[in-house]
Amino acid sequence: MAKKTLSKRYSGVLAHPTSFPSPYGIGDFGKGAYDFINFLTGAGQSLWQILPLGHTGYGDSPYQAFSAFAGQPLLISLMN
């Protein structure tokens, strides 16, 4: 049986941008996202996994978006 070589291992965190602090009620890809990326780097993490970013459809599920190509406009940062 051939010996399998292991490649580098990675670790990360699952966090949706809407969970970041923001003065507008939900987070976006502004300062909160940049702060989170800096935190991940400092903690030695390699990956940031996010849920789908589409405009939610019936039942507000991110997995039932109205379009596979349109993004959620509320995630655009107004501060940057």
Side-chain angles (χ1 to χ4, degrees), residues 53-55 65 67-72:
L53 299 174
H55 200 42
S67 171
F69 304 104
Q72 173 58 273

Side-chain angles (χ1 to χ4, degrees), residues 52 54-66:
H55 200 42
T56 57
Y58 305 106
D60 292 329
S61 171
Y63 299 103
Q64 292 182 330
F66 289 125

Side-chain angles (χ1 to χ4, degrees), residues 25-68:
I26 67 167
D28 53 26
F29 283 116
K31 183 179 181 324
Y34 281 93
D35 291 345
F36 182 68
I37 292 171
N38 290 333
F39 168 76
L40 289 178
T41 303
Q45 301 296 307
S46 306
L47 305 171
W48 172 20
Q49 182 178 354
I50 56 177
L51 296 171
L53 299 174
H55 200 42
T56 57
Y58 305 106
D60 292 329
S61 171
Y63 299 103
Q64 292 182 330
F66 289 125
S67 171

